[in-house]
Amino acid sequence: MEWFAKRLGISVLLVWIVASIVFLAIHLVPGDPAELLLSQGGAAPDPAIVEDLRDQLGLNRPVLEQYLHSMANLLRGDLGNSLMDGAPIAGEIATRLPRTLELIGAAALISVLIGVSTGTLAAVAAGGPFDRVASALAGLGLSVPVFVIGTLAILGFAQTLRWVPAGGFVAFSQDPVQHLIMLAMPAGTIAVGLSSTLFRVTRSAVLEVTMRDHVRTARSKGLSFRRILTRHILRNALIPVVTVLALNLGTLLGGTVLVEYVFNWPGLSGLLVDAVNARDYPAVVGVVLVISILFVTLNFVVDMLYAVLDPRVRHG
Amino acid sequence: MSECLIRGEGMSRSFHGGGFFRRGRSIQAVSDVSISLSRGEAVGLVGESGSGKSTIGRLMLGLMPLSGGRILFDGDDLAVLDEKRRGALRRRMQMVFQDPYSSLDPRRTVGSQVEDGLSIHGIVPRGERGARVAELLAQVGLEPHHAARTPHQFSGGQRQRVAIARALATNPDFLVADEPVSALDVSVQAQVMALLADLRSRLGLAMLFISHDLPVVRHLCDRVVVLYLGRVMEEGPVSEVLRAPHHPYTRALLSAAPSLHAESRRERVVLRGEPPSPANPPSGCVFRTRCPHAIEACAAQPPPLEPREAPGHRVACIRHDIG
Amino acid sequence: MRRLPWVSAGAVGLIILAAVLAPHIGLADPVGMDVAHRLAGPSPTHPLGQDEYGRDVLSRLLWGARTSLGIAFAAAAISCVIGTILGVVGGYVRGIAELLTVRSMDVVLCFPPLLLALLVVTLLGPGASTLVPVLVIVYLPSFTRVAYAGVLSVRGHEYVTAMKVLGAGRLRIMTRTILPNIAGPILVQFSLAAASAVVLESGLSFLGLGVVPPAPSWGLMIGAARGTMVQAPLLLLWPCLALTVTILAMNALCDGLRDMLDPHPAARRVSWFSRFRRRAPTAPLARVEPDTVLDVRGLSVAIGDPAEGRYAVRDVSFQVKAGETLAIVGESGSGKSLMSLSAIGMAPAGVEVAAGTSGMDGADLLALAPGELRKLLGDRIAMIFQDPGSSLNPVHRVGAQIAEAIRAHRPVSAAEARERAVAMLRNVGIPDPERRARAYPHELSGGMRQRVMIAMAIANGPRLLIADEPTTALDVTIQAQVLDLLAALKRDGGLALLFITHSLPVVAEIADRVAVMYAGEILEEGPTAEIFAKPRHPYTAALLRSAPQDDGPAPEGISGTVPVPGDLPAGCVFAPRCDKRIEICDETRPSLFRIGPGRSSRCLRWASL
């Protein structure tokens, strides 16, 4: 429990640091954010408008006051208003976040199912034809950037074969089947890279664990092959698999942004890309904050998983 | 023995557990240990894992700071010396390690590693270093052409010879040998021991020989110090301690070591249980929890090291009646 | 170490060359528009066609490589240098430096890389001048961590302490000792980061937030071609192909480098699982006395394919009787562990039993079907190993591991197996067994773990216990306890004990008979007391003279080294190191001579010793 509390504390601390850094980044950047925002197309903005915006954003107040103010707002769940349409950013994020989470969840589920099972099979038959083909495919899967897969999938499955729509979104409550069909391509696209990663780490972890002394002990006890594989090899091999999963969470979230863009999936990334293009910095800050918090939370969940899998971690 | 070369007085060392911000439990690795060596003298430091024997070796080389006590080298206190004088003293004290696979840099030739000591201290002019390296290798029974090889081309015993040559490069007066033969096969052990004995007598080295095995130190050392949980249990001339061990722990250690001649062996004393954690040592005598002769008084206070009949033989045990 | 991966290195080299040479090989202007020929197909002047503004696709691809690789390599190189310095300083100096360098990187890691890049782009605006610093920040933590982890592992090696003892300064140790030893992982990280930076750069450009048009970039080209993918799919395929091939080559180079630097490459190649399918041809068994538990005859074991002739064990025969301890004694490289594992059908991966039988109860263990062998292992044959720390599964409670061994062979309920496990722990002298049964292996001391191993081994009342250096990792007072425990088990249960060790005093302590192994052969065998009193092989005699004792003369060593399998002397394997050698010893490999009741020697001169 002490360990749990400590990890939780660290996660909260990290969230606070992230929020502070995002705040500081805005204020440490050379030049005035308000001027920067308005100076599109190279023309110098009207000083009066800049002053208005500065007031509106509270940039005229002392930095410390702004910082405390924004942290207080953050605690209340208030991320400010968009510069584009003046709508509250938190509300916009609240509608879009579940869609992004759904995409990540679906992709992770597909990847774990495919990656771990094929990785184990390849390790059991290491050097055989299945292992070679699967390893080569995984090597390829790791090498194609996610937006290339997405774009080519649209070209192939949507434009040429016309099996699925090129992208978009239908709410689950409206049409569950269509919702899942539209989810399949983006989730599958993300899963290509992630399942390749999981395949590789599962394969090498299983091979590595089989060479450990305790597997020899398990054999000397006369256990069945299945029991050695599940209880003494896979159970231990999952520890490095979870570690690698954690290391790839960042890539997964980044990949999600690109995939949502490619498939017009109305998650957080559409908001983010539009906001970056429009230099709507409260919106960018809001989305980056939310995704970073999501990232820290996922890492925390992985840590918990890690502790469940490895008793040595719990005892420090 | 003649003049004293290095003297550790009341050395203590504690380690703090935990991370950067957390101050965890402190572990007393070495408590109030005094050891002195004269020129040309070899002292065996014997104990099991957790006895603090390696820590003492590193303390006496100045590789880690003391928590208490002081170390005098040729009369100079190591702790108060300035950087420059300490650098000069570095040259005079060297070390040979336990694991010959870990103690040599796998990426550099053994010649360049033996040469390090020469170049760091500028002992030999650059042009003559090659010849000196060959000389050093010859001294430990290796050939000059071995200098160009990397460590993985050598067996464990040969690596240990290289490590000894490296230590000898700076012409040290004091050598700490930390379990130098424990990782070697028994047929190789004897050769390395013989080499160390030969170098010690030829070069007049003072040698602190750390080992977990009492019989191993018998032929190399003049005196032996027996440690348990960071404290000295017994010390004295090797022959005396081996012939007539006084401390119950020394006896147990000797009788626990298997002997080739099972019929002539001493009566076996098998100790109960396991050594207590150094983070939470027992009160009084630290050995009392496993001692077959422990009485109530043993828990009262740590027993002082008291002299016994033979000169230099001292024992930390209040049970004089069992001697 | 394996060789450099030439194919992938060559491919990466070619791509880099193309990028470097792009301005000098007479390509069309990559930004020169020709709207009249927009989306034109391949032609002699435009081998890959023209894009939506009529620009030459080939030229844009090669110039795009220049942009992508230039940005990626610049960013990877800068973060490599800075990260390595931070990691080395943080790892070697520790203390506050560690906090400033390494821990501060954890903060950067709170941001997913693409998000961090987007945040910076928002603040600084897009373009190559933003991309490089963004990518440097993104990859800095990984280099710092790799260097830091490398330093932490290297600084634990005694050669770093040795440099300190020699009086080397911090700078010298960091640059001359630590840096060369962590260069491998950093090189791998560099190629990883460069490949990943190419992906990230093209991703950002694809979103329109990286390289600014009209400058050529693969990501931009893919993004732009999306709009016309139905009319001109090739326009989309070319940059996708270029990007994929580049990443593929870089990843392959990365894997190749990693394999090259892997200290144990061979071990990864052999599938351990094939062990579950293998069985040797059946051979007739010799008749044995009724109380013989294990009867091994003519056992030869090869490393790799037997046809290659690298035999680690040659023609080994021995018997173990009920209630008897046979010690196999030998130095490292003698093949004693390999021999005993192979004798009960547990040869490790990469090792083949080439000849021999191993009889137990009328069956040949080497010819049994895997399922049949499994019924014997853990039931009638049990093993304990040298390192009790690694021999227990760290993720299961020790009680459960013992109960599992019971349930594999006895039809008992889980609860009953658990009770029996506790009883076994009590039998081997573990105090408070109910509580200890619920402990994980790392919560127990080395001596306790070895007792757990023993409890697990004897849980089903085996007839044969193979103990492979069971006390080597233990302190001498704990070793005495474990040896006493094993002796008591043997005495009470009529167990046959095959005890493998390198220590002659331990043999004297525990064994009734001893077989001395050297370079894969048994050189001498017989009752322990007789052999120790009167060895009939020069190797045994030399080994006895090497052992340190608490009385008697100083130990003598044996000069020379043990020969390796595949490079054995033509005659007696011990001849090159033997002080009793005569000419014929170098020519004929002696067989094992019966020299008395229960005694044999492989020395031609046994009679004259």
Side-chain angles (χ1 to χ4, degrees):
Chain A
M1 266 315 92
E2 188 191 339
W3 184 86
F4 176 83
K6 197 179 146 203
R7 294 304 311 167
L8 192 65
I10 290 178
S11 296
V12 171
L13 183 72
L14 284 177
V15 168
W16 172 68
I17 292 175
V18 166
S20 304
I21 287 184
V22 171
F23 173 86
L24 281 177
I26 305 290
H27 291 84
L28 289 182
V29 167
D32 178 36
E35 204 172 305
L36 207 68
L37 288 169
L38 295 168
S39 63
Q40 262 146 351
D46 182 346
I49 302 177
V50 171
E51 201 49 38
D52 258 11
L53 187 64
R54 288 183 64 86
D55 254 3
Q56 186 195 333
L57 295 174
L59 291 174
N60 286 331
R61 285 178 291 169
V63 174
L64 187 66
E65 194 187 321
Q66 289 181 51
Y67 174 73
L68 292 175
H69 185 71
S70 71
M71 287 298 134
N73 279 343
L74 190 62
L75 279 180
R76 277 185 277 120
D78 179 1
L79 295 170
N81 297 333
S82 164
L83 295 180
M84 289 183 287
D85 52 11
I89 293 158
E92 185 69 22
I93 288 178
T95 23
R96 286 169 175 263
L97 182 62
R99 302 171 188 155
T100 296
L101 288 177
E102 183 192 0
L103 188 55
I104 293 175
L109 188 68
I110 298 172
S111 308
V112 169
L113 288 179
I114 295 178
V116 173
S117 59
T118 53
T120 308
L121 281 179
V124 169
F130 176 79
D131 177 33
R132 284 186 211 175
V133 171
S135 294
L137 284 178
L140 189 66
L142 282 172
S143 302
V144 195
V146 64
F147 63 94
V148 171
I149 299 175
T151 311
L152 291 179
I154 291 178
L155 178 62
F157 299 121
Q159 305 290 7
T160 312
L161 298 169
R162 303 209 167 266
W163 288 351
V164 281
F169 178 81
V170 176
F172 188 79
S173 51
Q174 275 178 19
D175 184 348
V177 177
Q178 190 63 19
H179 174 86
L180 291 178
I181 289 175
M182 290 184 140
L183 176 67
M185 268 222 297
T189 300
I190 300 175
V192 170
L194 190 60
S195 60
S196 301
T197 308
L198 289 178
F199 166 85
R200 278 199 160 189
V201 59
T202 307
R203 181 182 177 277
S204 69
V206 166
L207 282 178
E208 193 264 323
V209 172
T210 58
M211 266 173 283
R212 292 198 196 153
D213 288 348
H214 67 77
V215 175
R216 185 179 59 182
T217 307
R219 271 191 82 195
S220 80
K221 289 198 280 190
L223 304 183
S224 67
F225 174 72
R226 179 201 287 270
R227 194 166 172 91
I228 295 180
L229 183 64
T230 53
R231 217 177 126 80
H232 291 280
I233 296 175
L234 269 180
R235 178 65 179 72
N236 293 67
L238 280 180
I239 296 169
V241 171
V242 167
T243 310
V244 170
L245 189 65
L247 288 173
N248 278 278
L249 282 176
T251 320
L252 177 65
L253 287 171
T256 310
V257 170
L258 283 162
V259 166
E260 287 185 4
Y261 176 81
V262 169
F263 289 98
N264 265 323
W265 185 264
L268 286 177
S269 77
L271 181 65
L272 181 64
V273 174
D274 288 350
V276 174
N277 270 322
R279 298 208 158 179
D280 180 354
Y281 95 80
V284 174
V285 165
V287 177
V288 168
L289 259 182
V290 167
I291 297 188
S292 296
I293 291 170
L294 182 64
F295 187 48
V296 171
T297 312
L298 282 177
N299 268 316
F300 176 69
V301 170
V302 166
D303 271 348
M304 292 295 111
L305 201 56
Y306 206 69
V308 169
L309 286 176
D310 191 348
R312 287 166 295 185
V313 171
R314 275 172 266 164
H315 298 266
Chain B
M1 287 295 158
S2 54
E3 48 176 328
C4 176
L5 178 70
I6 181 164
R7 185 208 306 277
E9 291 175 354
M11 295 181 288
S12 293
R13 170 73 198 182
S14 51
F15 293 102
H16 295 285
F20 194 80
F21 295 110
R22 197 179 59 189
R23 280 277 169 260
R25 304 180 293 182
S26 109
I27 290 169
Q28 192 72 23
V30 176
S31 311
D32 192 24
V33 172
S34 298
I35 292 172
S36 64
L37 287 92
S38 314
R39 277 178 201 284
E41 187 188 26
V43 172
L45 200 54
V46 176
E48 297 179 278
S49 41
S51 65
K53 55 189 191 298
S54 287
T55 306
I56 292 176
R58 273 150 221 260
L59 287 172
M60 291 186 78
L61 286 169
L63 285 177
M64 53 173 75
L66 287 162
S67 311
R70 60 177 189 162
I71 293 164
L72 302 171
F73 191 93
D74 250 359
D76 292 322
D77 187 339
L78 281 189
V80 301
L81 283 183
D82 58 67
E83 208 46 51
K84 204 174 144 207
R85 297 274 312 275
R86 202 169 345 178
L89 272 188
R90 269 263 70 86
R91 192 185 68 70
R92 299 178 55 193
M93 38 173 94
Q94 282 303 318
M95 181 163 183
V96 177
F97 299 86
Q98 171 172 4
D99 181 0
Y101 290 84
S102 159
S103 72
L104 295 177
D105 189 337
R107 289 179 200 277
R108 294 170 58 205
T109 64
V110 303
S112 80
Q113 297 190 54
V114 173
E115 198 184 309
D116 273 339
L118 303 177
S119 62
I120 288 168
H121 296 283
I123 297 172
V124 179
R126 192 178 289 269
E128 296 161 29
R129 283 183 199 155
R132 176 69 182 136
V133 167
E135 208 178 309
L136 285 162
L137 289 177
Q139 204 166 29
V140 297
L142 295 171
E143 306 286 327
H145 68 264
H146 285 144
R149 296 194 187 167
T150 47
H152 75 268
Q153 291 168 288
F154 292 100
S155 68
Q158 286 173 317
R159 283 167 189 242
Q160 207 55 299
R161 288 173 189 270
V162 172
I164 294 171
R166 175 179 61 190
L168 294 180
T170 62
N171 300 320
D173 301 316
F174 173 52
L175 185 70
V176 173
D178 189 357
E179 304 240 21
V181 298
S182 304
L184 304 178
D185 269 323
V186 66
S187 66
V188 182
Q189 275 187 11
Q191 296 172 300
V192 173
M193 292 294 291
L195 172 65
L196 285 172
D198 172 54
L199 291 171
R200 175 201 155 200
S201 60
R202 224 149 27 91
L203 305 175
L205 283 172
M207 195 182 292
L208 186 66
F209 189 92
I210 298 166
S211 175
H212 64 274
D213 197 8
L214 265 173
V216 167
V217 304
R218 186 166 73 99
H219 294 282
L220 184 69
C221 299
D222 308 304
R223 284 193 298 129
V224 64
V225 178
V226 180
L227 294 166
Y228 184 81
L229 224 65
R231 289 155 180 87
V232 176
M233 298 288 110
E234 180 163 6
E235 64 175 10
V238 163
S239 53
E240 194 61 30
V241 172
L242 279 167
R243 188 187 58 79
H246 278 254
H247 198 285
Y249 177 64
T250 318
R251 289 183 187 179
L253 202 57
L254 267 175
S255 82
S259 158
L260 273 184
H261 310 292
E263 66 284 1
S264 72
R265 60 172 307 119
R266 299 182 179 81
E267 190 195 346
R268 178 80 158 260
V269 189
V270 173
L271 291 179
R272 297 169 278 164
E274 314 209 342
S277 156
N280 187 19
S283 68
C285 173
V286 285
F287 182 59
R288 71 179 164 84
T289 52
R290 299 175 78 199
C291 182
H293 305 288
I295 52 174
E296 227 167 86
C298 294
Q301 53 195 349
L305 260 182
E306 291 167 337
R308 296 291 158 99
E309 312 83 77
H313 193 170
R314 302 200 299 163
V315 181
C317 182
I318 56 170
R319 292 289 307 265
H320 300 273
D321 48 320
I322 60 164
Chain C
M1 266 197 216
R2 280 197 259 161
R3 299 253 300 279
L4 190 74
W6 289 112
V7 178
S8 48
V12 173
L14 269 181
I15 295 166
I16 294 176
L17 194 70
V20 171
L21 292 181
H24 311 294
I25 48 176
L27 291 169
D29 180 2
V31 293
M33 298 195 198
D34 178 8
V35 186
H37 293 103
R38 65 186 297 261
L39 304 179
S43 63
T45 40
H46 304 290
L48 298 182
Q50 289 161 278
D51 72 359
E52 74 277 14
Y53 293 109
R55 295 173 295 201
D56 180 57
V57 171
L58 177 65
S59 170
R60 283 183 72 73
L61 271 187
L62 292 183
W63 280 86
R66 201 176 159 80
T67 318
S68 291
L69 294 181
I71 291 173
F73 277 99
I78 297 171
S79 51
C80 177
V81 171
I82 302 176
T84 305
I85 293 174
L86 290 180
V88 170
V89 171
Y92 189 69
V93 181
R94 305 299 288 271
I96 194 78
E98 182 180 354
L99 188 73
L100 289 178
T101 56
V102 182
R103 298 285 153 240
S104 64
M105 289 301 142
D106 290 353
V107 174
V108 180
L109 288 172
C110 292
F111 297 90
L114 189 77
L115 268 290
L116 187 64
L118 285 177
L119 181 66
V120 178
V121 169
T122 314
L123 299 169
L124 299 179
S129 56
T130 312
L131 277 176
V132 173
V134 166
L135 295 177
V136 167
I137 295 173
V138 165
Y139 295 112
L140 199 53
S142 59
F143 282 105
T144 310
R145 287 199 153 188
V146 168
Y148 176 71
V151 173
L152 287 196
S153 87
V154 168
R155 62 173 288 145
H157 282 279
E158 289 173 335
Y159 59 80
V160 177
T161 315
M163 289 301 289
K164 265 189 241 174
V165 177
L166 284 173
R170 278 180 172 178
L171 194 63
R172 186 184 174 113
I173 293 177
M174 279 193 263
T175 54
R176 292 211 30 202
T177 303
I178 290 179
L179 209 50
N181 278 295
I182 61 169
I186 289 178
L187 185 66
V188 171
Q189 185 59 36
F190 177 81
S191 51
L192 259 179
S196 162
V198 171
V199 175
L200 198 52
E201 177 275 326
S202 51
L204 282 170
S205 300
F206 173 79
L207 291 173
L209 302 169
V211 175
V212 184
S217 145
W218 292 340
L220 266 181
M221 290 171 77
I222 296 171
R226 259 167 33 107
T228 57
M229 69 163 92
V230 182
Q231 304 101 296
L234 272 182
L235 213 50
L236 180 64
L237 288 181
W238 288 125
C240 285
L241 196 64
L243 189 54
T244 304
V245 168
T246 305
I247 306 298
L248 197 59
M250 290 172 91
N251 281 345
L253 179 63
C254 216
D255 291 344
L257 285 176
R258 202 175 296 166
D259 283 351
M260 191 178 85
L261 298 164
D262 185 349
H264 316 287
R268 303 268 157 95
R269 306 233 124 197
V270 197
S271 171
W272 165 84
F273 295 96
S274 62
R275 291 291 136 201
F276 282 88
R277 300 188 289 270
R278 190 192 50 86
R279 82 189 266 192
T282 326
L285 288 178
R287 291 175 63 90
V288 293
E289 291 163 49
D291 61 342
T292 299
V293 174
L294 183 71
D295 175 32
V296 174
R297 307 245 166 160
L299 180 67
S300 291
V301 178
I303 297 176
D305 191 345
E308 289 168 28
R310 287 191 299 144
Y311 284 92
V313 174
R314 287 176 309 282
D315 193 23
V316 164
S317 303
F318 62 85
Q319 286 80 39
V320 199
K321 292 194 172 68
E324 177 189 66
T325 300
L326 172 67
I328 308 280
V329 67
E331 297 181 273
S332 39
S334 63
K336 55 190 189 300
S337 289
L338 196 61
M339 187 277 291
S340 38
L341 279 172
S342 304
I344 57 161
M346 282 204 22
V351 163
E352 287 297 329
V353 173
T357 59
S358 177
M360 186 182 215
D361 292 337
D364 181 2
L365 297 178
L366 302 177
L368 279 181
E372 294 298 310
L373 180 64
R374 216 182 65 213
K375 286 186 194 153
L376 297 180
L377 289 174
D379 187 4
R380 271 185 284 173
I381 308 170
M383 296 197 74
I384 51 178
F385 302 98
Q386 172 171 355
D387 184 355
S390 63
S391 295
L392 289 165
N393 192 332
V395 303
H396 298 303
R397 299 177 196 275
V398 297
Q401 297 191 49
I402 299 172
E404 181 186 52
I406 297 170
R407 296 197 75 197
H409 300 283
R410 302 280 180 269
V412 297
S413 70
E416 197 182 337
R418 220 169 19 242
E419 264 171 46
R420 281 205 207 174
V422 172
M424 291 321 298
L425 287 175
R426 188 174 293 119
N427 277 359
V428 296
I430 289 184
D432 199 358
E434 285 86 2
R435 198 170 58 86
R436 294 294 163 89
R438 287 194 304 275
Y440 288 101
H442 70 270
E443 296 169 313
L444 302 177
S445 70
M448 284 293 163
R449 287 183 207 149
Q450 198 59 292
R451 283 175 192 269
V452 169
M453 281 297 292
I454 294 172
M456 192 156 75
I458 62 169
N460 290 315
R463 297 184 56 200
L464 173 69
L465 178 63
I466 298 182
D468 187 356
E469 304 253 14
T471 60
T472 307
L474 304 176
D475 268 327
V476 62
T477 56
I478 307 296
Q479 164 173 285
Q481 296 173 351
V482 171
L483 289 179
D484 276 9
L485 174 62
L486 286 173
L489 290 172
K490 190 187 70 170
R491 208 169 41 235
D492 303 343
L495 192 67
L497 182 59
L498 186 63
F499 195 97
I500 296 135
T501 182
H502 69 279
S503 163
L504 288 168
V506 168
V507 172
E509 196 81 13
I510 193 160
D512 305 307
R513 287 193 303 126
V514 58
V516 181
M517 270 191 90
Y518 180 81
E521 293 177 0
I522 290 184
L523 294 188
E524 182 167 15
E525 201 214 317
T528 309
E530 277 183 41
I531 287 200
F532 280 24
K534 266 197 174 148
R536 289 299 186 109
H537 195 288
Y539 176 62
T540 315
L543 213 51
L544 284 166
R545 287 196 301 271
S546 299
Q549 300 171 44
D550 52 14
D551 48 17
E556 293 168 37
I558 309 174
S559 59
T561 49
V562 183
V564 293
D567 189 23
L568 295 172
C572 168
V573 286
F574 185 60
R577 300 174 73 186
C578 183
D579 54 357
K580 301 280 190 291
R581 174 176 53 159
I582 52 175
E583 214 166 283
I584 192 171
C585 296
D586 288 326
E587 290 153 16
T588 344
R589 175 100 36 106
S591 57
L592 203 59
F593 305 107
R594 303 291 294 176
I595 60 172
R599 277 200 76 173
S600 47
S601 164
R602 219 181 257 275
C603 181
L604 291 167
R605 306 188 60 202
W606 65 268
S608 61
L609 292 171

